[in-house]
Amino acid sequence: MVKADLGICTMATIAIVGAGFSGTLLALHLLRRCPASASIVLIESNNQFGLGTAYATGNANHLLNVAAGRMSAFHDRPDDFLEWLHGQQKAAPALRDCGAGTYAPRGAYGAYIRDLLNREIGQDAGQRRLRLVRGRVLALEEEAQGVTLRLDRGRQLAAELVVVATGHFPPEAPADIPATLTDSGLYQPDPWNPAAWADLDPEAPVLIIGTGLTMVDSVISLLDQGHRGPIHALSRRGLLPARHADPGLAAPPRPGHFPTRLVALTRRLRRHGRAAQSAGLPWQPIVDSIRPFTQDLWLALPDADRARFLRHLRPWWDIHRHRMAPAVAARIETCRHSGQLTIHAGRIGEIQPGNSEARVHFTRRFSRLPVTLDVARIVNCSGPGCDFDRVTDPLMRYLLDHGLARPDPLRLGLDVTVNGAIKNGQGEISGRLFAVGPLTKGMFWEIIAVPDIRRQCERMATSIALLV
Ligand SMILES: Cc1cc2nc3c(=O)[nH]c(=O)nc-3n(C[C@H](O)[C@H](O)[C@H](O)COP(=O)(O)OP(=O)(O)OC[C@H]3O[C@@H](n4cnc5c(N)ncnc54)[C@H](O)[C@@H]3O)c2cc1C
């Protein structure tokens, strides 16, 4: 049922909030699995449906960090993305060389997802089972018959079930950042904002907070816009993502068993990785061998081991698991060797904004030496925020403040069941509110990449179809 200015519809309605990869794919699977009497409303606050944060980039040098052969949106049609790429070669000759082991531009992946959505809309014509609504959901009110979604511009919409697919929280600002800095334009909180590196003197020194894949994207953007000035990247440990193995290298034998205690599991993986290296084989397939089982392992690990993993091993896991495409890694390496890019390990102290530059004080890790940098721009690439006390997104604030949702025990996302049903402030399981994608990281840990999310969407669509 859809109320007010959004029209009248008598079908059972499933509303999906957020049309990035997770929300869009879930909509496609729901259409296949739900009875004809059910309709899907996909709500997106941005202009573009199907892209989300990851695939909205227009920079052709922002590459996927998973090989094209593993990026199909459907796990039972593994070549779907590759076939789509090959079908694009006339329109986009640059995609000609994309094979299963290559790393396609992320923008092309966004176009693929949008194409899937457009095809579905074409097939749906006349049935009106799928509706796209552009707007921001600000609040969800659970009522006896369903849920009322409150949108911007005073609009509202009623649904039987709602799936929240709003993705990661934005990066958190460094502690004690002065308001004068945020207001000055010297600091950019959102690395995905096209204005993040705009209007910058190409010789000026800049600082990137974070040294993960978002930093890597930022460096690529700077190089592509002809930046010649020093680029500093700073994180607590100064760890840089590893690079993917070159395609075609022989794979080492994979571990046959994965222990369900952290210490034993870490030892097993290290042993196999070292054995591969001593045999002149790449270690990367050993890390990848765990991927089909990461969710099982996460669920099997005792709580104390999960907490220990997050405290001590997470940064190491991240750089070995989330790797750079070889072509990207080569550019980053060249930039480091030339001295233009410096990776620092340390902790930011004070940031003092000036007229055209900010003065950043940080303390080096290990030596504790104080360092001062004068930079013309600071961009926050520190990764998704997880501090629920500082989340400002209106919908998330509403859900938390009204007790409709609560953080998971590890505070990685929302507390949900294995089926994605959201638990309220008292731990009760909602029969109407669900979450999908990175928001469910506390339950599954590895639920941020396409191969994991597509599995989750298929499973969730099957279980939701039983409810309508
Ligand atoms: C830069 C980057 C690169 C990545 N590269 C890869 C890769 O190469 N391979 C891979 O497998 N994985 C990759 N990933 C991981 C993965 O694909 C993404 O995490 C995944 O796309 C998550 O999609 P999502 O839809 O859950 O979230 P998002 O992409 O963040 O989409 C959420 C959507 O919800 C909308 N929204 C938010 N709040 C509201 C609201 N209140 N009302 C309405 N709409 C709202 C947002 O506008 C957004 O479009 C990458 C991730 C990032 C960030």
Side-chain angles (χ1 to χ4, degrees):
M1 295 163 290
V2 179
K3 288 186 206 164
D5 48 334
L6 290 170
I8 299 291
C9 167
T10 50
M11 293 172 164
T13 302
I14 304 163
I16 302 175
V17 184
F21 177 75
S22 308
T24 305
L25 196 67
L26 181 66
L28 302 183
H29 283 296
L30 283 171
L31 285 167
R32 277 174 187 73
R33 286 168 175 76
C34 287
S37 56
S39 73
I40 319 294
V41 183
L42 189 54
I43 308 161
E44 171 56 51
S45 55
N46 277 335
N47 289 334
Q48 301 262 37
F49 283 70
L51 304 186
T53 320
Y55 309 114
T57 174
N59 184 330
N61 292 319
H62 286 166
L63 302 183
L64 292 173
N65 53 45
V66 175
R70 301 194 54 236
M71 287 294 285
S72 167
F74 308 102
H75 119 276
D76 57 346
R77 284 171 14 216
D79 291 336
D80 199 63
F81 178 49
L82 277 178
E83 285 165 11
W84 181 90
L85 278 172
H86 295 152
Q88 300 304 303
Q89 287 180 2
K90 270 205 193 110
L95 303 179
R96 187 175 43 228
D97 299 329
C98 286
T102 59
Y103 299 85
R106 289 211 305 274
Y109 193 74
Y112 161 63
I113 299 299
R114 227 179 24 229
D115 217 27
L116 291 175
L117 184 63
N118 288 340
R119 267 189 270 161
E120 199 65 49
I121 292 167
Q123 284 165 17
D124 185 56
Q127 299 179 61
R128 299 178 61 80
R129 290 184 64 216
L130 173 64
R131 290 188 61 198
L132 308 189
V133 171
R134 215 171 81 63
R136 176 168 286 280
V137 177
L138 303 172
L140 300 177
E141 286 162 15
E142 265 193 301
E143 288 152 3
Q145 300 81 11
V147 183
T148 300
L149 295 91
R150 304 223 174 264
L151 281 79
D152 50 4
R153 292 186 276 139
R155 296 172 298 167
Q156 65 176 32
L157 192 153
E160 274 65 41
L161 304 174
V162 177
V163 185
V164 184
T166 51
H168 294 288
F169 298 135
E172 279 150 20
D176 305 327
I177 191 164
T180 41
L181 179 70
T182 39
D183 298 343
S184 68
L186 292 168
Y187 171 77
Q188 290 287 344
D190 177 5
W192 309 116
N193 183 340
W197 296 112
D199 304 322
L200 182 68
D201 172 359
E203 305 294 341
V206 298
L207 172 66
I208 299 172
I209 302 175
T211 58
L213 286 174
T214 310
M215 175 282 288
V216 168
D217 270 355
S218 268
V219 173
I220 297 294
S221 299
L222 281 166
L223 297 178
D224 285 350
Q225 72 183 46
H227 194 77
R228 297 180 294 275
I231 304 171
H232 299 276
L234 168 72
S235 68
R236 300 261 281 278
R237 291 180 175 77
L239 295 173
L240 199 62
R243 58 173 282 161
H244 279 289
D246 290 323
L249 285 180
R254 296 166 170 235
H257 293 91
F258 298 105
T260 53
R261 293 303 304 261
L262 188 63
V263 172
L265 178 63
T266 311
R267 282 196 186 132
R268 176 83 47 99
L269 290 177
R270 279 197 181 135
R271 199 173 64 237
H272 278 267
R274 273 198 293 265
Q277 283 181 299
S278 350
L281 298 170
W283 55 264
Q284 290 87 337
I286 302 293
V287 173
D288 296 345
S289 68
I290 199 175
R291 288 200 53 196
F293 308 101
T294 4
Q295 294 186 5
D296 298 337
L297 285 164
W298 187 251
L299 290 166
L301 282 180
D303 290 349
D305 273 10
R306 292 189 210 172
R308 205 170 293 137
F309 169 82
L310 294 175
R311 241 187 349 263
H312 302 297
L313 291 180
R314 181 183 188 169
W316 303 96
W317 171 253
D318 282 348
I319 59 163
H320 289 90
R321 157 72 184 80
H322 302 286
R323 303 188 291 263
M324 290 185 270
V328 172
R331 288 185 79 189
I332 296 293
E333 222 24 63
T334 307
C335 195
R336 282 186 85 184
H337 278 138
S338 73
Q340 188 183 8
L341 170 63
T342 312
I343 307 285
H344 303 276
R347 193 185 276 268
I348 293 188
E350 202 186 347
I351 305 181
Q352 299 159 322
N355 284 336
S356 58
E357 289 195 333
R359 176 156 289 188
V360 181
H361 300 274
F362 75 91
T363 315
R364 281 202 196 287
R365 197 178 165 87
F366 304 122
S367 71
R368 306 236 178 266
L369 278 176
V371 181
T372 303
L373 294 173
D374 289 318
V375 292
R377 186 79 45 92
I378 303 170
V379 174
N380 190 348
C381 297
S382 61
C386 274
D387 184 347
F388 280 82
D389 300 328
R390 290 169 76 191
V391 166
T392 51
D393 173 72
L395 174 60
M396 213 41 69
R397 253 318 8 120
Y398 185 93
L399 293 177
L400 296 167
D401 293 347
H402 289 78
L404 293 175
R406 66 180 189 182
D408 67 73
L410 295 165
R411 297 177 80 85
L412 294 170
L414 294 183
D415 200 2
V416 297
T417 66
V418 280
N419 287 323
I422 293 178
K423 293 187 189 173
N424 70 12
Q426 286 78 49
E428 296 165 351
I429 297 166
S430 174
R432 298 191 182 279
L433 300 184
F434 297 80
V436 70
L439 275 178
T440 64
K441 230 161 48 172
M443 170 56 78
F444 301 110
W445 176 242
E446 284 282 281
I447 197 74
I448 48 176
V450 162
D452 307 305
I453 296 175
R454 74 180 171 205
R455 250 186 7 173
Q456 185 188 29
C457 287
E458 286 167 7
R459 278 198 310 250
M460 181 177 271
T462 305
S463 61
I464 286 185
L466 299 173
L467 302 176
V468 291

